[in-house]
Amino acid sequence: MADTIRFKIRRQDRPDSTPYWQEFAMPYRAGHNVVSALMAIRENPITAQGERVVPPAWESNCMEEQCGSCSMRINGRARQACSALVDSLSQPIVLEPLAKFPVIRDLVVDRSVMFDNLRRVKAWIDIDGSWDVHTGAPRISPQEWDLNYALSRCMTCGCCMDACPMFAPDRDFLGPAPLAQVLLMNNHPTGKFSRADRLHAIMGDGGLTDCGNSQNCIQVCPKHVPLTTAIGMLGRQTTAQILRDIFGA
Amino acid sequence: MSTAKPTTIVVGGGLGGLWATLRLVEAGIPVKLFSLFEVKRSHSACAQGGINAALDTKGQGDSVWQHIVDTIKGGAYLADQPPIKTMCEEAPGLIHTFERMGVTFSRTPEGLLDLRLFGGVKYKRTAFAGSSTGQQLLYGVDEQVRRYEDRGLVEKHEWWEMLSIVTDSEGRCRGITALDLRSQQVQAFPADAVILATGGIGLIYGKSTNSSNSTGAAASRVYQQGAWFMNGEFIQYHPTGMIGDDKLRLMSEASRGEGGRIWTPRLPGDSRDPRSIPEDERFYFLEEWYPTYGNTVPRDVAARAIWRVVKHLGLGVRGEDRVFLDLTHLPADFVRRRLGSIIEIYEDYTGADPTQVPMEIFPAPHYSMGGLWVDWEADPATGGMKHGSPRNHQTNIAGLFACGECDGAYHGANRLGANSMLSASFSGRVAGESAAAYVKGLARVARADLGNAFDAERDRQEEINRAILTSEGSENPFALHRELGKVMTDKVGVERDNRSLDEAIGALQELRERFRHISLDDRGPWVNSSLPYARQVHDMIVLGQVIAAGARLRDECRGSHYKAEFELKIPEGKFPGDPEWEEYLTRWKEKNERWLKTTVARYAPEGPEIEYHPVDTSVLPPETPRDYR
């Protein structure tokens, strides 16, 4: 076991400044994940060359892969840094910001496009209001629940967007994560009522048909959200919607 | 008179803040929603096991009344009871509202909401979505808030940190100042009402089950500006935290509700593979000591039992600070279906499969029962909290409201599992309604002149930032935080004594002094996380002083607060009717005369000033002690 943990981190001071690399070597400790290691570096930010520098900036919150904050590229692959255990990674551990979102600073990127896209596809149930209407929603079978629960675990972390060859800042494609939420909302017994609105939102430019079927998204999703299954099912739903639009429902 | 269109601010976008936002918007009042990060990343996402509501769909005869009784007794009678009554009564309606929002609750074979057992109760009362219920509930309200955002009624200010409130000459809250976490600029934001929904304070203990942004800094800041902080000394240790260097990850109480068992080898230091240890050499101490509730005793009881087994009986696994949480006797597919997300967490971080190998756990700081003091108005017609009253969830500062974990209203001395998602949601809803009523009432009152209050407060905050950024001392804020966590964990933990607490109070004062000599490695003006972190460390120390001072003064045992010296023990093997029990009951009531009081801390520069307020016990007078044997 090596007695140090080595990192190579891509730094970028400001959104418009030129990136550069810095290397760090810290004492080995068992049980480190990438975020806890970054915290140790932050406390004593000295590079492998012995220079005291401004500590790297990154995002994290829950530290247990539930909140989606700490996405970054680790050894080239988009994943959650808090569950990336140092002992399982080859060194130097290369940290880069997600490549498909604008860099704010160092490993911090701006993922607001994902939340904008959730608005674009109307990923919500149109309830009358959040007051009690003295009844619940219609029943949902355990079999339907299986798929819905899997879809609902999407934490908008952006890994699938990073891996998707069709998603990029200069393109209009919604990306896998927001698309999967359309299926979740369409599956809900009252969410179905607005199905046509959501389907229309993904039928135009940048919508479903921009998916190139590379299957990259499903490879990197930390929550195993059935993204490609969802996209396939939405393909059938949009086809049916086209027919309904032409012939009436 | 106010004629301008009202505006409100909600700080915090977890369950409480998002519910408050919904109810304000639905009352026609736009909201500026402030959060340290995208609201969807809030710590509510970490809540696992479920949310309580007496739906009584399991043929066990559960009732709303029983939910009220369990909650009051679970909290050792320390919370005002009418708000608890209303919360439990409205719980089924809340669950059904979540269901309408599309929350993916787990289902029975006939498609109804399934329910599971949780701690401190005898009936299945906990609705759940696998073991990621908090995440699912959070997403449900997040989507509804996005719907209103889409209509222009909610304006999100994500990546902003609240630094202070702004008050007028009459002390009324009129807005906030906040730090843009990207540009590091301080700005003032006027509002007719401010709701704090800023969550828990686990980071004060260094390592806890909480997210790394759950510092309590916002609550501490308004406390330092005059808001009262109640019952600070009541800190819940969750019995089953994963052992970790960076975080104590939660292993849900649902694991025991679904049949998991806690045990440790009877032989001290036994290092055999747990699977090879025969049944009769295993000590199922919760089942032995509490045959009626067994593994699902309330958290304070379970945490203390584990503490006793490990620290006093010397029976920790391999002699270390840990015992087993065992699911291996349950069918693996059942465990994965019901508890999949926590099983994944355990597997990710340890490499071990909990369906095959018992998990190793130890109590971890988890939840603050205490929090900002909030008012409520009684409804004589129902004996509960009066619907729509502007007093509900208002702090002692007019116009400043609090909800969720950062208020201290519902859980008294100990919170029952799966009541936190309930209280966060319910209190958020109430606070939103209450703030709406308050804002509408403002149209009829003349408000004091603000003068240059906003500029002055912004200047004051910028000066604090400047002082930190230019400080050239030798103290490292990250190291100070670690020391704070150690003081709190070692001296203000599961078991407390007055000597250690005195030491803690001294150590905290010293940490506050040392904070004046910090120095930052990052002094830059763009996404500088060191500056807000340093400020949080200061504010955590101040709140640590509240916790320690309350604990020092409370010479009794109640719920999570335990001092062996003052323990009033239930006589062993004795029950109601036995003379020893009746003697115990008499002494228990005498103790309540002295200590069944709400601790209220007011800020003073030299340390908190503590006073005690009476508790409203009008729903269930304290006649029967807690007894989970």
Side-chain angles (χ1 to χ4, degrees), chain A residues 52-75:
Chain A
R52 194 164 189 97
V53 295
V54 170
W58 78 93
E59 269 186 65
S60 64
N61 194 26
C62 78
M63 302 294 289
E64 54 190 49
E65 210 184 67
Q66 300 294 317
C67 78
S69 290
C70 63
S71 309
M72 59 183 75
R73 279 194 177 185
I74 299 170
N75 289 346

Side-chain angles (χ1 to χ4, degrees), chain A residues 2-68:
Chain A
D3 55 358
T4 56
I5 304 170
R6 289 175 299 128
F7 281 97
K8 192 175 163 195
I9 302 177
R10 199 174 104 128
R11 309 286 310 258
Q12 184 173 336
D13 297 342
R14 302 195 63 106
D16 51 359
S17 63
T18 310
Y20 56 97
W21 292 91
Q22 263 173 2
E23 289 175 39
F24 295 87
M26 55 181 284
Y28 177 81
R29 204 181 70 199
H32 259 311
N33 57 65
V34 167
V35 175
S36 68
L38 282 169
M39 286 175 171
I41 290 174
R42 169 177 76 175
E43 197 172 323
N44 194 21
I46 296 174
T47 66
Q49 288 72 36
E51 185 191 358
R52 194 164 189 97
V53 295
V54 170
W58 78 93
E59 269 186 65
S60 64
N61 194 26
C62 78
M63 302 294 289
E64 54 190 49
E65 210 184 67
Q66 300 294 317
C67 78

